[in-house]
Amino acid sequence: MPNYRKAIAEEIDVLKSFIFKHGLNPWNYLPKDGIDKTFSLLANNHGEALVACEGESIIGLAIFFYPSALPENFQQYTDSEPAVYIAEVVVHGDYSGRGIGSKLLNKIITKAPDIGASKLLLDRHEENAASAGMMRKAGFAEISTFIDLERRHSGSRKTKVLSFELDSLDL
């Protein structure tokens, strides 16, 4: 059974490698400069990374940004409420389908009120069935779909934005 914890700064290179090894597929947009920017935000305390481990091995990773670092293009979905943006959720291929991604998302949902958020936002390629299932299982609802030619290079080339409203929880 995996254990879940906050990533530590000394793991940055390992985590970057993990993203590129296990996150690359036709549905994910993972430019090196974008991933570097993501980790720069983490290094400057604008978000956190959570990892799922089996023993000493990382088998899952989720990265989220605090409301103060919400990307500008997601502000239109907040209704002026503070929102967490989940930038990445990647699970080792040998462990996919075991609920690890959903558990990572649930850990972020549980943490969000403590960092002042009332909503969580994330996005995925419209046709990414594995991500769709993980997000649905964690309770995210689709709120927008749009053509995204810059980031989507396969299939429909559309992005879906999903939201989780914390007021729907009894915390």
Side-chain angles (χ1 to χ4, degrees):
M1 181 147 163
N3 67 313
Y4 297 83
R5 63 173 173 76
K6 184 176 176 179
I8 57 174
E10 293 78 20
E11 294 175 310
I12 287 178
D13 290 337
V14 170
L15 298 178
K16 283 183 182 182
S17 295
F18 184 87
I19 287 174
F20 289 117
K21 182 172 184 180
H22 300 288
L24 284 177
N25 65 50
W27 312 120
N28 290 344
Y29 180 69
L30 297 171
K32 184 182 178 328
D33 61 333
I35 297 300
D36 287 344
K37 182 178 178 185
T38 293
F39 280 93
S40 175
L41 286 167
L42 294 180
N44 289 306
N45 202 30
H46 294 291
E48 294 179 30
L50 302 178
V51 294
C53 299
E54 188 166 89
E56 298 297 314
S57 299
I58 294 173
I59 59 171
L61 166 67
I63 297 172
F64 64 97
F65 301 144
Y66 301 143
S68 60
L70 181 71
E72 189 175 316
N73 56 325
F74 283 88
Q75 292 175 5
Q76 64 184 311
Y77 305 111
T78 67
D79 299 324
S80 299
E81 299 174 71
V84 163
Y85 173 65
I86 301 171
E88 301 294 338
V89 179
V90 177
V91 175
H92 188 293
D94 293 343
Y95 295 86
S96 64
R98 298 187 191 181
I100 293 166
S102 297
K103 182 77 169 182
L104 285 164
L105 287 173
N106 283 318
K107 295 278 187 191
I108 298 169
I109 290 166
T110 301
K111 187 174 187 62
D114 296 335
I115 55 177
S118 57
K119 176 183 283 196
L120 295 92
L121 297 167
L122 49 71
D123 65 334
R124 65 170 176 80
H125 190 293
E126 176 185 51
E127 297 175 41
N128 188 337
S131 287
M134 170 188 66
M135 294 168 185
R136 188 173 38 257
K137 185 176 178 181
F140 282 80
E142 297 174 3
I143 58 172
S144 180
T145 304
F146 60 93
I147 294 173
D148 194 353
L149 301 178
E150 182 181 330
R151 294 177 53 225
R152 308 299 180 195
H153 300 108
S154 61
S156 68
R157 299 186 73 183
K158 291 182 181 178
T159 289
K160 283 202 178 280
V161 177
L162 296 92
S163 174
F164 187 99
E165 304 288 334
L166 289 172
D167 62 4
S168 67
L169 287 180
D170 292 324
L171 294 176

